[in-house]
Amino acid sequence: MKTIEDVGIRVVKPGECLSRGWQVFGENWPLYIGIALVLVVISLLFVINWFIFGPLVVGLSYLILYQLRGGRPEFGMISKGFSKFVPAMVIGLIFMFPTALDTIFRLGVMAIDISQGMNPNAEPGMIFLVTRVAGIFMSLFVLACAVVFAIFLSMAFPILADNDLPLLDTLRLSFEAGKKNAGGLFLLLLLKGAMILAGLMLCCVGVVVAIPLIYIMDAIAYTQIFGLDDVRESAPPTPGAYDFGAVR
């Protein structure tokens, strides 16, 4: 079981996360593209996706770590995250809160614009100005949260997938990992952001590659932080060797 004492200091290597991540993706690219398509479809389920985002990412992290340890991952492994539904859901809700708040705000602004558009005598005036200024601040808030959460919270998913820890201990361990590796995780965030942007520029087709790849890179960063870089060199696991939730 991981503890704060296990957290390495300044050990995250973004370039290695990308190179190894691409190798891992290439070994099972049909599986990861299939998972990405499922995640894209689920993201369209308004509100529902907020509650199942965490369990899905925890399950995906479990699948990736299983592959890193020499196992042959299967699509059904993604359901493993639902074995720890409550803590995974809470982490996912925290992670999704800024995005959810922004979505609700944008819907509110849209409703105001529609109501004013239906009134031909209405003038934009102060309401229009306030909503636009508030929109700028909301975008900055979401961006700031994305940076903070990527540094201090993103490791919570692989930590929970790989350990039998209570929610608060998982969050505390993720925060400690972020605090000791803030620079590397920030650079990793920039790299992941560039990948998503590139995927969007490729007529959005590249997103189905970028989505699983960023989670693979997070899982590899997790192995670096906790000194598990050599897991691929270890012997292939025996059946049941990596039972979900097993104490390590």
Side-chain angles (χ1 to χ4, degrees):
M1 183 181 296
K2 305 296 180 290
T3 66
I4 289 178
E5 289 72 22
D6 297 324
V7 178
I9 301 176
R10 294 188 294 276
V11 293
V12 175
K13 305 170 184 176
E16 182 178 325
C17 290
L18 176 58
S19 60
R20 290 186 62 195
W22 186 252
Q23 178 186 358
V24 171
F25 175 84
E27 291 172 357
N28 289 282
W29 65 267
L31 171 65
Y32 286 115
I33 287 181
I35 291 174
L37 291 174
V38 170
L39 293 178
V40 169
V41 171
I42 290 176
S43 70
L44 302 177
L45 301 177
F46 184 63
V47 178
I48 296 177
N49 68 306
W50 300 346
F51 294 92
I52 62 177
F53 168 76
L56 286 173
V57 176
V58 170
L60 178 56
S61 299
Y62 170 84
L63 181 153
I64 296 166
L65 290 170
Y66 185 84
Q67 180 178 347
L68 287 174
R69 289 169 176 147
R72 298 182 63 180
E74 299 177 357
F75 186 87
M77 289 179 177
I78 198 171
S79 65
K80 295 289 188 178
F82 290 88
S83 299
K84 296 185 176 182
F85 182 81
V86 174
M89 180 191 68
V90 172
I91 295 171
L93 285 173
I94 296 173
F95 211 89
M96 292 286 288
F97 173 74
T99 303
L101 186 63
D102 181 64
T103 300
I104 295 172
F105 172 80
R106 304 295 174 186
L107 290 175
V109 172
M110 185 183 301
I112 293 174
D113 290 343
I114 292 175
S115 64
Q116 289 205 329
M118 295 176 64
N119 183 0
N121 298 322
E123 296 182 1
M126 185 59 66
I127 295 179
F128 180 86
L129 178 61
V130 170
T131 56
R132 269 51 190 181
V133 172
I136 295 174
F137 281 101
M138 180 61 70
S139 298
L140 293 175
F141 170 74
V142 172
L143 178 61
C145 287
V147 173
V148 172
F149 287 177
I151 294 175
F152 296 106
L153 191 59
S154 61
M155 290 298 103
F157 296 111
I159 288 173
L160 184 61
D162 203 34
N163 298 272
D164 186 17
L165 290 172
L167 173 62
L168 292 181
D169 288 344
T170 300
L171 293 174
R172 188 179 300 113
L173 194 55
S174 180
F175 178 83
E176 190 70 18
K179 184 174 68 173
K180 291 182 178 180
N181 295 276
L185 290 174
F186 177 72
L187 293 176
L188 185 63
L189 171 63
L190 294 179
L191 189 56
K192 293 186 294 184
M195 289 166 47
I196 292 293
L197 182 60
L200 292 172
M201 293 176 65
L202 293 173
C203 301
C204 296
V205 177
V207 173
V208 297
V209 175
I211 289 175
L213 190 53
I214 63 176
Y215 292 115
I216 294 173
M217 292 164 66
D218 281 343
I220 293 173
Y222 163 78
T223 67
Q224 293 175 345
I225 289 172
F226 291 98
L228 305 172
D229 300 85
D230 59 343
V231 291
R232 289 183 65 86
E233 283 70 43
S234 60
T238 58
Y242 295 111
D243 286 341
F244 186 74
V247 177
R248 289 167 174 76

